[in-house]
Amino acid sequence: MRKHPYSDLPGHCFWSRTHRAADLPDPEVTPGLDIGPEDRIATAGSCFAQHIAQRLQRSGYDYLVTEEAHPVIDPPVAKAFNYGTFSARFGNIYTARQLHQLALRAYGLFTPKEDAWEQADGTLVDPFRPAIQPGGFSCRAAFLKDRERHFAAVRRMIEDASVFVFTFGLTEGWMSTEDGAVFGLAPGVAGGKFDPARHVFANFTASETAADFAAFAAFARERNPGLRFVVTVSPVPLAATARKDAGVLVANTYSKAALRVAAEEVSRTVERCWYFPSYEIITSAASKGAHFARDLRSVESAGVDRVMRLFLQTCTRSGGPAPDVDAAARRAAKAASKAASGPSDEDAFTAEVGRTLDVICEETLIEEAAR
């Protein structure tokens, strides 16, 4: 038998052998990331990253949330105001450029010229997280207080996390022609007014996406040298494209291909950065579309379960559904220690902002109920 480069490769390297292994074969994941109960896991990215965050919390891991709702706010209201959806209250971060710019803004190193969108009723919308505050912010003072609190939470996330999981979601975005700031959504969709002289469509390349994430990783590690990264690609197709030269199917194929290439590049070039194949688990032809809902876009819970089962098996020290130490007990001990040391300036600031948020929530709920 002749020897060649493929002679001694394991079965998972061959399509036919992998496909025969099971009806829904899992991709091979090379061990390397070793998440333990002491690790603080932060997440950001597209809507699929929300699933990862929820399952980590349910599995008992120490999911890092640095921007929590004020204690008097009821959980359903806090959820409506996007508390706990991600590690900080930044909403979906669809592009790596947004992620890098958020970090720069949080540390006062980038201040976009277009920092708030005023609505007809006088309320304000944050251009960089336009859906974060139902009904908008009641006034400039409330907007600035919330943003200050948000930036402080982003800084704590970067400095306190052990593992940062980012899900690449889109290559398409909208950018300011004045300073290159990338918005959360196109102006006019969820606030603001679209101005073709001020707002331009961007469709980032794989190399641009990889460079943006690498820049964020370097920036974060200047402040947290031990930080490890996990990158994934969202399997959720584009809801719409702004391209006029292609339909959404073609645009989606480009977007996911570019994101997958970028994720591969950063996993190879950024130190202590791993790629996890959630995209392949959901979209592989071997899965036969089993994990998509009827709209062929939404991912069913069984698909998320499968992704997280493989993630916990291959990326955690226990290899199982829960860590050795209960995360809730650790958080309670941390809170007790903090209470024993007495209130800090940060606590006073949080309480003050909490009072502002109480008013904002009540006004919004009253206004909504009166409609």
Side-chain angles (χ1 to χ4, degrees), residues 42-204:
T43 63
S46 74
C47 54
F48 191 74
Q50 297 179 34
H51 293 304
I52 297 176
Q54 292 168 4
R55 298 310 167 96
L56 285 170
Q57 288 175 306
R58 292 178 193 172
S59 297
Y61 283 84
D62 194 353
Y63 180 65
L64 179 63
V65 178
T66 58
E67 190 169 8
E68 296 181 311
H70 193 268
V72 302
I73 299 177
D74 291 334
V77 177
K79 183 177 180 181
F81 279 73
N82 295 277
Y83 284 99
T85 303
F86 293 106
S87 290
R89 192 171 170 243
F90 34 61
N92 290 327
I93 301 176
Y94 290 109
T95 66
R97 182 73 55 88
Q98 283 177 266
L99 177 67
H100 186 210
Q101 289 185 353
L102 171 63
L104 295 175
R105 291 170 58 228
Y107 284 89
L109 300 176
F110 176 44
T111 303
K113 294 181 180 179
E114 195 170 344
D115 74 329
W117 289 334
E118 185 172 352
Q119 305 299 91
D121 61 0
T123 58
L124 295 176
V125 171
D126 190 334
F128 305 98
R129 40 185 195 143
I132 210 70
Q133 183 84 1
F137 293 93
S138 59
C139 61
R140 181 79 180 175
F143 171 79
L144 292 176
K145 278 183 176 291
D146 186 83
R147 189 174 65 183
E148 185 178 352
R149 181 175 185 249
H150 173 59
F151 283 168
V154 172
R155 294 193 297 270
R156 287 196 298 274
M157 178 192 74
I158 290 174
E159 295 166 13
D160 292 351
S162 304
V163 179
F164 182 81
V165 183
F166 183 69
T167 300
F168 292 96
L170 298 175
T171 56
E172 296 189 12
W174 291 89
M175 201 160 53
S176 168
T177 59
E178 296 181 294
D179 54 16
V182 178
F183 303 112
L185 288 171
V189 172
K193 290 184 178 180
F194 178 71
D195 181 352
R198 299 177 63 197
H199 308 131
V200 62
F201 174 65
N203 197 11
F204 298 108

Side-chain angles (χ1 to χ4, degrees), residues 233-246:
V233 174
S234 171
V236 180
L238 273 68
T241 179
R243 292 176 58 179
K244 296 181 180 179
D245 64 331

Side-chain angles (χ1 to χ4, degrees), residues 249-326:
L249 294 178
V250 173
N252 181 70
T253 299
Y254 164 75
S255 183
K256 298 304 181 183
L259 296 176
R260 181 61 186 88
V261 170
E264 186 73 17
E265 182 175 337
V266 299
S267 71
R268 293 172 181 266
T269 58
V270 174
E271 186 181 358
R272 301 192 310 281
C273 179
W274 289 265
Y275 173 73
F276 182 76
S278 55
Y279 177 77
E280 287 81 355
I281 293 172
I282 301 299
T283 67
S284 168
S287 294
K288 305 171 186 176
H291 298 314
F292 285 108
R294 288 187 177 183
D295 61 2
L296 299 181
R297 185 173 181 273
S298 304
V299 178
E300 299 274 21
S301 60
V304 181
D305 288 340
R306 186 172 163 224
V307 168
M308 292 310 300
R309 173 181 57 76
L310 186 62
F311 182 85
L312 295 175
Q313 284 178 355
T314 58
C315 298
T316 67
R317 192 171 306 154
S318 65
D324 299 328
V325 179
D326 182 62

